[in-house]
Amino acid sequence: MKFLVVDDSATMRRIVVNSLQRIGYSDIVEAADGAQGLEVLDGSIDFVITDWNMPVMGGLDMVRSIRAQPDRSGLPILMVTTRSVREDIVQAAQAGVNNYVVKPFTPQVLKEKIDQVLTKLRGAA
Amino acid sequence: MIPELASPTREEVMADTQETLRAVARALDALGPLPEKGGNGAAAISFDAMNPLQRLARFLAESYGELAEILEGLRETRGLFRKAEMHRLQHTHITLQEVTSQTEMATTGMLDGLERCLGLVDSIEAAEGAEGEDPRNQLRDELHQVIQHLQFQDITAQRIGHATGVLSDVETRLVRLMGTLEQYGFAVTDHEEEVEAIVEQHVVCDPNATTQNADSRQALADDIFA
């Protein structure tokens, strides 16, 4: 499974990549903001993990842009962010995010959410 | 068709104003000595005893004094903004940016070291082909946990980014205010180096970013996505 990790913080990208490797995923590409994420996004990406607050294009706008593409409406997207007030989480859900991880997170929580998304999507298919 | 009138230059306005003031001064001179406000001298006339023109003269004289004080106050305020606040704000702004960048560099260095340690543990394990529970597994877990703790860099950067944004906003407002004062002629006479606002791309940061209560905040997200 190939992951796209989008975060403007180089530190956070490395931590997410490290966590993914620890839970068994090694095919990973990275992007520093939503616009770069959309550029990198091609048919080979199976799962997107994105931050919310980023320059140029934020995570929420990137998610909306992905969901506006009919062929990518079912692409699994996980939001990993510091934003944790109810209104923000609801907004992310409405934009089309499949699951939500609050920073700081542990690799176990990341795995749990990825598994939940994949299980739900497999069930819906 | 009414011919379009050119806007007067600042010099023309100043010259007109000075000419008007001179005309007012001549008119006041013609009225005799200016009555002292509450004065006890022989020339002092009580306000009630003044004729309307003398009252107007007193009013104009007092207003002029007050206006002069206000203008002086505005000049001083502008000078203070420029000399102190702008430099201090810019210094704070730059300091905050340096903190963010130094934190990023420090965490990158720590991540490099930790990842080298993890690789080392892997290579030791591969060489020895150890079986069963090994203290090196514990070491690996510990190292991974340290890496997770480094998430503080992104979280604190969010807070610092928000503070920087507020400072930039205040700075922009001060520059705009100074521009307005300059427009009306309240220039500072010294030739200090001009201070320009730092214009940066606006980045949305989370002012509530925290390392605390991750479990309860995650539980709220889980409820919503359940």
Side-chain angles (χ1 to χ4, degrees), chain A residues 11 14 22 102-103 105, chain B residues 104 112 115 141 151 154 218:
Chain A
T11 304
R14 281 181 70 170
R22 193 169 183 213
V102 170
K103 292 178 184 173
F105 64 92
Chain B
E104 176 91 43
D112 286 341
E115 285 176 356
D141 288 343
Q151 289 180 65
D154 179 56
Q218 183 62 55

Side-chain angles (χ1 to χ4, degrees), chain A residues 46-89:
Chain A
D46 303 303
F47 205 111
V48 177
I49 296 179
T50 184
D51 183 24
W52 184 319
N53 297 321
M54 292 182 286
V56 187
M57 181 189 268
L60 206 64
D61 288 336
M62 186 190 74
V63 171
R64 289 189 181 120
S65 178
I66 292 172
R67 291 298 181 233
Q69 302 169 31
D71 57 329
R72 293 200 172 115
S73 59
L75 182 69
I77 303 177
L78 183 66
M79 181 77 84
V80 180
T81 176
T82 56
R83 299 175 81 124
S84 54
V85 296
R86 179 176 286 278
E87 292 74 20
D88 287 341
I89 302 168

Side-chain angles (χ1 to χ4, degrees), chain A residues 7 9-12 14-15 18-19 22 53 55-56 82-86 89-90 93 97-107 109 113 120, chain B residues 104 107-108 111-112 115 118 141 144 147-148 150-151 153-155 158 201 203-206 208-211 214 217-218 220-222 224-226:
Chain A
D7 200 310
S9 160
T11 304
M12 275 313 301
R14 281 181 70 170
I15 291 171
N18 181 281
S19 301
R22 193 169 183 213
N53 297 321
V56 187
T82 56
R83 299 175 81 124
S84 54
V85 296
R86 179 176 286 278
I89 302 168
V90 168
V97 166
N98 296 96
N99 215 328
Y100 202 93
V101 171
V102 170
K103 292 178 184 173
F105 64 92
T106 62
V109 169
K113 301 309 162 199
K120 202 179 264 186
Chain B
E104 176 91 43
T107 47
T108 302
L111 278 166
D112 286 341
E115 285 176 356
L118 284 168
D141 288 343
H144 276 295
I147 288 178
Q148 297 308 311
L150 293 176
Q151 289 180 65
Q153 193 278 329
D154 179 56
I155 292 161
Q158 296 275 329
Q201 185 180 24
V203 180
V204 180
C205 292
D206 182 5
N208 303 313
T210 176
T211 55
R217 290 185 291 118
Q218 183 62 55
L220 174 65
D222 292 347
I224 293 166
F225 276 88

